[in-house]
Amino acid sequence: MLHDDQRQRQSEVNGNHESKLYVLYEHSAGFALFRVAEFEELAAFLPQVEESVTDLQRFNSVVTLIAFQPFKSAVVALENINAISEGIVPEDLNLFLEGALPKRKKRGKCTLGVADPKLGAAISEALEIPCSHTGAVPELIRGIRHHFHALIKGLTLKACSVAQLGLGHSYSRARVKFNVHRVDNMIIQSIALLDQLDKDVNTFSMRIREWYSYHFPELVSIVPENNLYTKCAEYIKDRKSLSEESVEPLTEILGDSEKAQAIIDASKMSMGMDISPVDLINIQMFAGRVVALSNYRKQIAEYLHTKMNSVAPNLTTLIGDQVGARLISKAGSLTSLAKYPASTLQILGAEKALFRALKTRSNTPKYGLLYHSTFIGRAGLKNKGRISRYLANKCSIASRIDCFSETQTTIFGEKLRQQVEDRLKFYETGDVPMKNIDVMKQAMEEALHEQVQHEAEGSAKKKKKKKKAKKEEEPMDED
């Protein structure tokens, strides 16, 4: 019985001896086609194939390089790899296989080994050759990948690594539609720095008030605001040096001539102690640093505003740049925020209160970071929870539009903001607002109209540039 099985297997091997296996390997350097020796025996002895993969000398006896076509440039490599990842046969691969494989009449007895079944199906349809991705093929491709730099003449391991790294980065960028101007990491850092600066400026201003009050205690009651107080302390220095000529500079700082006159009057009758010039110099230097920090804080706020308008224009239009930035920061990224349901977005920032409420079985919080939005403050006490839920819903829509739309526009944000305004009026007066589907239809039409206008303006600018270039070329031709 055993001898009969062996004879049957041998006869099958001899009958299919003409069958040939080719293996296609797509590398970052180019396409390679290998022919496999003794295909039938390999299928029967898969464990031995697995062992030979790591040994180059043994693996060389298994596979033979038939053809190798390097990519002409990084752009060509990216185009080909994008097509292959989608299961499409690129033109370069089609031409390569047509030239390297046997003629179409003989392809019925050949099999092409591929790594991706989708690509295999596309090649089978285009080139009329059966493709396989099972059996010994995965092990063979693993061996080719391991020894590729040794199987191709003139290709080093370092060159392979550089090509793989470069193509990997460009492919990743293309897949996630990477755009330098839409990086939300900068927003997360900016809002964190802004919060830190607010705390530091406040702490330092309190220190200035306490320190300078030894010399001029009346100034605190006249100028209660921290930033203006620090500027006044930096300018005044010694209170005895103030005169009627100081009214104008103080008016410029405070924006109020009455307060400036009150400071001068108070300085003449002050109860403060005298301070040495060295102490006054130190107070002045510290006040200068605090004023510089306050000015830098304004710059960071402007930078955050412009960054939010470029990254999340609709979310910024809806709830403002700082609240939007805090939501993005809390979520980790704009993409994460877009993936959150509206219910999660509503209580974002109130996690402690939520878990405390769940633990004690009390009422859960109605809002988190959204509380800082002007809409919540304007709503009545009974409607705060309702408007918070509605606002979270609109913020969720705005963040998804900003994250996944290719063209930037603030139209959706304006429409969503108007919807929230209408909802507030509805709670107060009972006026029924428009349905969401009608509002979104209007927004889509306006966005499409705006896009057409931009395209028309762009084409008009290009025509003007061409005309200018032609006019500049004509005098040069005459010369």
Side-chain angles (χ1 to χ4, degrees):
M1 186 73 180
L2 185 65
H3 293 295
D4 290 339
D5 288 343
Q6 285 177 346
R7 283 195 200 108
Q8 189 178 351
R9 190 183 299 166
Q10 189 65 37
S11 65
E12 284 174 7
V13 167
N14 293 333
N16 295 327
H17 190 67
E18 291 180 5
S19 179
K20 292 179 181 177
L21 174 67
Y22 295 88
V23 176
L24 172 68
Y25 182 63
E26 313 93 33
H27 192 265
S28 52
F31 296 121
L33 187 70
F34 295 88
R35 187 172 63 201
V36 182
E38 300 173 351
F39 168 42
E40 290 78 13
E41 281 82 351
L42 283 176
F45 302 110
L46 192 59
Q48 285 84 335
V49 175
E50 290 174 8
E51 288 174 13
S52 68
V53 160
T54 52
D55 186 2
L56 178 60
Q57 194 172 355
R58 289 174 67 185
F59 193 71
N60 258 329
S61 63
V62 175
V63 297
T64 310
L65 179 67
I66 299 295
F68 174 66
Q69 181 182 311
F71 293 126
K72 292 175 184 177
S73 66
V75 177
V76 174
L78 181 60
E79 286 173 2
N80 280 281
I81 203 71
N82 279 331
I84 287 167
S85 66
E86 298 292 333
I88 300 164
V89 182
E91 193 178 345
D92 291 348
L93 180 59
N94 199 339
L95 292 169
F96 170 68
L97 290 174
E98 280 282 8
L101 286 168
K103 292 179 181 179
R104 284 184 181 261
K105 291 178 182 178
K106 297 179 180 178
R107 285 180 193 169
K109 296 177 181 179
C110 301
T111 306
L112 182 66
V114 291
D116 183 17
K118 279 171 69 181
L119 181 65
I123 291 170
S124 295
E125 191 178 339
L127 300 172
E128 298 174 4
I129 183 169
C131 294
S132 174
H133 64 278
T134 56
V137 172
E139 289 302 321
L140 289 166
I141 289 172
R142 188 165 72 90
I144 292 166
R145 189 187 302 117
H146 188 67
H147 301 295
F148 189 73
H149 62 280
L151 296 169
I152 308 295
K153 286 182 181 178
L155 193 67
T156 61
L157 183 61
K158 189 178 179 182
C160 279
S161 301
V162 169
Q164 285 172 342
L165 188 67
L167 184 60
H169 283 178
S170 56
Y171 176 72
S172 299
R173 284 194 190 96
R175 291 297 289 176
V176 299
K177 293 178 181 174
F178 183 79
N179 186 349
V180 177
H181 301 293
R182 297 188 70 178
V183 180
D184 47 16
N185 290 336
M186 301 302 162
I187 288 169
I188 294 166
Q189 296 301 326
S190 298
I191 193 66
L193 178 59
L194 203 64
D195 290 341
Q196 189 64 48
L197 281 173
D198 283 337
K199 288 177 185 175
D200 291 346
V201 168
N202 190 43
T203 306
F204 294 153
S205 298
M206 292 302 291
R207 180 63 55 207
I208 286 280
R209 288 173 72 161
E210 192 176 337
W211 198 355
Y212 194 65
S213 289
Y214 291 127
H215 178 61
F216 194 180
E218 293 81 9
L219 186 62
V220 176
S221 58
I222 300 166
V223 187
E225 192 183 344
N226 285 340
N227 189 30
L228 292 176
Y229 183 92
T230 309
K231 285 181 179 179
C232 288
E234 186 189 15
Y235 170 74
I236 294 166
K237 299 163 198 166
D238 189 354
R239 68 170 191 275
K240 291 176 183 177
S241 64
L242 287 175
S243 63
E244 293 299 324
E245 294 174 0
S246 307
V247 174
E248 198 173 326
L250 282 169
T251 305
E252 285 180 17
I253 293 168
L254 297 168
D256 189 348
S257 58
E258 289 181 6
K259 282 187 178 180
Q261 189 62 49
I263 289 169
I264 289 163
D265 294 341
S267 68
K268 292 172 183 175
M269 303 165 63
S270 178
M271 301 275 292
M273 62 183 277
D274 291 333
I275 294 183
S276 67
V278 177
D279 294 332
L280 281 171
I281 287 166
N282 278 293
I283 292 170
Q284 185 196 356
M285 284 173 65
F286 185 45
R289 294 286 177 89
V290 177
V291 169
L293 266 179
S294 299
N295 294 333
Y296 178 62
R297 192 253 176 224
K298 288 177 184 175
Q299 289 177 12
I300 287 290
E302 287 172 10
Y303 166 73
L304 179 66
H305 180 70
T306 53
K307 203 73 184 168
M308 278 296 290
N309 278 328
S310 66
V311 174
N314 293 295
L315 189 64
T316 306
T317 308
L318 178 60
I319 54 166
D321 49 12
Q322 291 200 19
V323 179
R326 284 193 175 90
L327 286 172
I328 291 170
S329 178
K330 192 70 182 175
S333 69
L334 181 61
T335 310
S336 299
L337 184 67
K339 289 176 182 177
Y340 282 165
S343 56
T344 305
L345 197 148
Q346 183 184 348
I347 56 165
L348 208 62
E351 289 82 7
K352 284 184 180 178
L354 174 68
F355 290 120
R356 194 190 311 120
L358 292 172
K359 195 175 180 181
T360 57
R361 294 185 181 180
S362 56
N363 293 333
T364 53
K366 294 173 184 176
Y367 28 67
L369 291 168
L370 286 180
Y371 182 76
H372 299 290
S373 172
T374 55
F375 296 113
I376 308 294
R378 284 162 54 195
L381 192 63
K382 291 180 180 178
N383 299 323
K384 281 187 186 293
R386 295 165 75 186
I387 201 68
S388 173
R389 188 165 60 251
Y390 190 80
L391 181 60
N393 183 16
K394 298 305 169 190
C395 287
S396 183
I397 293 168
S399 62
R400 286 166 192 175
I401 292 167
D402 288 330
C403 184
F404 301 112
S405 65
E406 293 179 4
T407 54
Q408 290 183 345
T409 177
T410 57
I411 289 167
F412 291 98
E414 289 163 7
K415 293 288 181 186
L416 293 168
R417 186 179 179 85
Q418 189 57 47
Q419 278 189 293
V420 182
E421 295 277 4
D422 293 343
R423 182 62 59 162
L424 276 171
K425 283 182 186 175
F426 170 68
Y427 291 147
E428 290 169 8
T429 62
D431 295 339
V432 179
M434 283 178 68
K435 287 185 178 179
N436 187 57
I437 190 167
D438 297 329
V439 175
M440 287 297 110
K441 276 180 183 177
Q442 280 184 8
M444 287 290 286
E445 286 170 8
E446 286 180 27
L448 191 64
H449 181 64
E450 190 183 73
Q451 192 177 347
V452 170
Q453 277 186 332
H454 282 310
E455 286 173 2
E457 285 172 9
S459 61
K461 283 179 183 178
K462 282 180 183 177
K463 283 178 183 178
K464 282 181 182 178
K465 283 181 182 178
K466 283 181 181 178
K467 282 181 181 178
K468 280 184 182 179
K470 282 181 181 179
K471 284 178 182 178
E472 287 173 2
E473 284 173 7
E474 282 171 5
M476 289 180 74
D477 292 339
E478 287 173 7
D479 294 339

